[in-house]
Amino acid sequence: LKWYPAPKHKEWNGPGTTPHFPEIVLGRCYTYTQVLRPELRHMDCQEIAKAFMRAFLSKDPCSSAEQDYQQLLRLTNQTIPCGTSVFWSKSNELAHQYTKVQWAMFTLEDMLVGYMADNLDWCGDHSSSDMNYESCPHWRKDCTTNPKSVFWDAVSRRFAENACGVVQVVLNGSISNTFDRNSTFGRVEIHNLYPGKVPTLQAWVMHDVGGVHRHSCSSPDINDLKLILRNRNIRFTCQDDYRPIKFLQCV
Ligand code: 2NF
């Protein structure tokens, strides 16, 4: 009698690991270090991809910890000039359009580690050395301590800790939670800026063209952000529909 493994059932509520995850991560690492930012040519993409896999393979996908990514963080350490960090929240596309035309500015996804992982899903399993391509824990429905959420928290924390000079954030003024305390920006990034290194945070509150203006710089929401930063001794400035970003919404 031949033994067939039981068909794998969907364990979790989130999408499974992106097909060819290891190849995509390795390929993106080479693209970034050899083509986009050749000053990082010396980085070891084989080691970097290996450290990424080791962070979550053969582990319970609801017991992920930032510690698991320490080796990956060490290997992808990257410094950028002061005054070039751009944070974003609920403004994914626009913020990246902005740093695309402002080649000297960096969002986390313009850094090697963020570039490798952007838009991918990944998780493993305690009882297998392979990735789970069927499903991964959903951060709301299953657990927040999943490999992907923990990764973004860890790399966002480091991105904020390493920031220096005047930093910027692109916010979405056309939605109800323009400043969301539970977002990565509100929960992790603003609390990990070093006041001694970051004198000022500049916020750009952007409104969709022809869309509603739910919040502007004078909204109570934005005032919350201002108060948090004031308590941390970081100066706050805010501008609605900052022109250099505004014109990108029209192209
Ligand atoms: O996927 C990314 N590239 C990513 C994910 C999380 C955080 C990037 N970040 C970094 C960026 F550098 C930005 O500065 O944090 C900032 C943006 O995160 P945000 O949470 O402030 O912004 P949102 O638009 O609310 O969310 C961005 C993405 O993250 C997911 C969310 O579903 C969206 O796809 N997300 C937010 N919080 C969690 C969480 N706790 C989350 N996914 C899983 N667990």
Side-chain angles (χ1 to χ4, degrees), residues 171 179 181 185 190 201 203 217-238:
L171 298 174
F179 170 63
R181 282 170 178 268
F185 174 66
I190 53 170
L201 176 100
C217 286
S218 51
S219 293
D221 254 51
I222 300 295
N223 203 47
D224 275 359
L225 172 58
K226 184 183 180 157
L227 292 177
I228 293 172
L229 289 163
R230 179 185 292 169
N231 282 333
R232 303 208 55 227
N233 276 318
I234 295 172
R235 208 170 78 91
F236 177 76
T237 69
C238 185

Side-chain angles (χ1 to χ4, degrees), residues 77-91:
N77 199 30
Q78 180 181 3
T79 50
I80 55 173
C82 291
T84 62
S85 306
V86 178
F87 299 92
W88 58 269
S89 198
K90 330 276 182 207
S91 58

